[in-house]
C-alpha cells in the first residue's frame, strides 16, 4: 500500500489501484474493474498474499478467506497487467546508482508458467525482454524517480532497489519493489559478476556511498539457474532425502548452490522446499541450459522436482 501510494505521488508507472479495508469496501470497489483483477494483502504472506481473480465468485471467496481470519487488513485491488515479467535491480546510495544485469524469474511450479506461485523455480540473466530501450525506460521512469522521490521525502536509503516489472510493447510498469536481491535471480546475476562484490558493498555499507569510479565488470555471456525442489513444494513436503553428490564433477562456469540442505553424519540431506540451485554460464542461453541440466541430471534424488523449461 505504501509503495503504491509512493508510486502514485511520484508518477511511477504501475497498475491502476484502490485501497480497501473491509469486505463491503472490496465488493463495491471491484465493480470498477474488469476481470481478471488482482487482490494483494498488505501484511506479509510469504509469497502467498496475491490473488488473481477471474470472476466475482473468486473475489467473494478471497474476501471471505481474508476477512474471515483478519479484520482491518488493508488490501490493494489492482488492474491486471498483461505482458512479460522481468526483474531489474540496482545498487543505490541514495543519490547514485549502479545497475545489475536484468533477469527473469520463473515463478510458477509447473512448466509453461502453470500452477501455484513459488519463491521461484529458476532464472535467467539477462531477460530477453529487457532490451536497451526497455532498460532505458526502467531507469528513467522507475529507478531515477524512486531515488529522487525517496530523497524528496527525507528517506535516506542505501542498498538494493529491486523493481519487479511487467513489460508490454516496450513499456514498463511496476508490479512490486523489494529492498533486497531476488532469489533465484541473484544466483544467475552474481555468477556473472567478475568484480569482487565486496568492492561494491563495503563502501556502500561503511560510508553509505557507491564508488562511482569503480569499473564493475560483468561476464557478457548469459546464465541459467535451475532450482531443484522437493516433491510437494510449494505445499507440504518431506525433509531428509539424501542427495548423492558422487557423480558431480567440477566444471568451469557451472555452480551448485545449496539453498535448503543439511549435513548429518557426513550425508547431505534435503532440508527445505527449494533445495539446490544449479547455475551455468555459456555463450548462448541454449548452451547454458544444456550445461545446467546435465548437472541437474547427475544430482537428481528420488523426490526431486524441477522445471525443464527454464530459459527455453
Ligand atoms: N497487477 C498485476 N497484473 C498481473 N499480474 C500481477 C499483478 N500483480 C501481481 N501479479 C502476479 O503475481 C505475482 C506476485 O505478485 P507480487 O506483487 O510480485 O507479490 P509477491 O512477490 O510479494 O508475492 C507477480 O510475479 C505476477 O505474476
Ligand atoms: Mg514478487
Amino acid at each position: 500500500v505504501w509503495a503504491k501510494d509512493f508510486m502514485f505521488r511520484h508518477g511511477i508507472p504501475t497498475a491502476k489501484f484502490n485501497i480497501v479495508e473491509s469486505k463491503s469496501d472490496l465488493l463495491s470497489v471491484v465493480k470498477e474493474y474488469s476481470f481478471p483483477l488482482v487482490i494483494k494483502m498488505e501484511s506479509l504472506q510469504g509469497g502467498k498474499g496475491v490473488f488473481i481473480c477471474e470472476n466475482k465468485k473468486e473475489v467473494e471467496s478471497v474476501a471471505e478467506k481474508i476477512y474471515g481470519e483478519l479484520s482491518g487488513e488493508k488490501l490493494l485491488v489492482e488492474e491486471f497487467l498483461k505482458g512479460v515479467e522481468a526483474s531489474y535491480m540496482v545498487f543505490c546510495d541514495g543519490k547514485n546508482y549502479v545497475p545489475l544485469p536484468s533477469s527473469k524469474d520463473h515463478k510458477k511450479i509447473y512448466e509453461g508458467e502453470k500452477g501455484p506461485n513459488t519463491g521461484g523455480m529458476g532464472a535467467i540473466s539477462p531477460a530477453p525482454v529487457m532490451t536497451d530501450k526497455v532498460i532505458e525506460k526502467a531507469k528513467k521512469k522507475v529507478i531515477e524517480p524512486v531515488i529522487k522521490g525517496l530523497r524528496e521525502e527525507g528517506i535516506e536509503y542505501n542498498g538494493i532497489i529491486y523493481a519487479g516489472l511487467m513489460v508490454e510493447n516496450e513499456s514498463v510498469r511496476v508490479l512490486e519493489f523489494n529492498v533486497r536481491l531476488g532469489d533465484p535471480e541473484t544466483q544467475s546475476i552474481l555468477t556473472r559478476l567478475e568484480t569482487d562484490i565486496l568492492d561494491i558493498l563495503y563502501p556502500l555499507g561503511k560510508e553509505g556511498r557507491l564508488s562511482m569510479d569503480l569499473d564493475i565488470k560483468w561476464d557478457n555471456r548469459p546464465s541459467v539457474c535451475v532450482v531443484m525442489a522437493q516433491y510437494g513444494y510449494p505445499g507440504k513436503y518431506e525433509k531428509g532425502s539424501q542427495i548423492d553428490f558422487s557423480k558431480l564433477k567440477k566444471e568451469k562456469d557451472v555452480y551448485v548452490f545449496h539453498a535448503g540442505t543439511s549435513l548429518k553424519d557426513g550425508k547431505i540431506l534435503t532440508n527445505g522446499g527449494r533445495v539446490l540451485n544449479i547455475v551455468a554460464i555459456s555463450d548462448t542461453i541454449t548452451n547454458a541450459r544444456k550445461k545446467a541440466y546435465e548437472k541437474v541430471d547427475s544430482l537428481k534424488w528420488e523426490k526431486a522436482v524441477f522445471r525443464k523449461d527454464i530459459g527455453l
Side-chain angles (χ1 to χ4, degrees), residues 15 38 40 47 50 52 78-81 85 117 166 175-176:
V38 183
K40 296 190 181 185
V50 173
I52 295 167
E78 276 187 25
E79 159 199 19
F80 179 84
L81 299 178
E85 292 184 55
N117 262 334
M166 189 66 92
L175 291 174
E176 66 164 346

Side-chain angles (χ1 to χ4, degrees), residues 1 18-26 39-46 48-51 62-77:
V1 169
N18 281 86
I19 298 160
V20 300
E21 283 187 68
S22 70
K23 189 173 163 183
S24 57
D25 259 13
L26 173 65
I39 299 175
K40 296 190 181 185
M41 296 176 73
E42 165 83 331
S43 57
L44 285 174
Q45 297 293 327
K48 296 188 183 101
V50 173
F51 304 90
V62 168
E64 196 59 49
K65 189 172 174 283
I66 295 171
Y67 287 112
E69 289 165 16
L70 299 162
S71 59
E73 172 78 6
K74 279 190 191 165
L75 301 180
L76 283 171
V77 178

Side-chain angles (χ1 to χ4, degrees), residues 87-93 95-103 125 130 132 134-136 138-140 143-144 147 159-163 165 181 189-190 192-195 197 200 204 210-212 214-219:
S87 307
Y88 191 61
M89 302 170 215
V90 302
F91 296 114
C92 142
D93 65 6
K95 228 168 99 193
N96 297 308
Y97 69 96
V98 173
L100 282 76
S102 66
S103 60
S125 174
M130 295 298 286
D132 288 349
V134 175
I135 287 176
E136 205 47 34
K139 287 179 181 169
K140 292 283 173 278
I143 300 299
E144 289 168 22
I147 296 172
I160 287 142
I161 300 174
Y162 167 129
L165 302 174
L181 294 170
I189 293 172
L190 292 188
R192 297 179 56 208
L193 178 62
E194 290 171 347
T195 305
I197 194 168
I200 307 168
L204 195 54
L210 279 169
S211 32
M212 296 309 288
L214 184 69
D215 184 19
I216 301 175
K217 293 246 177 346
W218 297 96
D219 192 327

Side-chain angles (χ1 to χ4, degrees), residues 198-229:
L198 285 183
D199 290 342
I200 307 168
L201 294 182
Y202 190 73
L204 195 54
K206 190 169 180 243
E207 294 152 24
R209 61 162 189 94
L210 279 169
S211 32
M212 296 309 288
D213 45 358
L214 184 69
D215 184 19
I216 301 175
K217 293 246 177 346
W218 297 96
D219 192 327
N220 277 328
R221 299 170 304 156
S223 67
V224 170
C225 169
V226 180
V227 171
M228 298 180 77

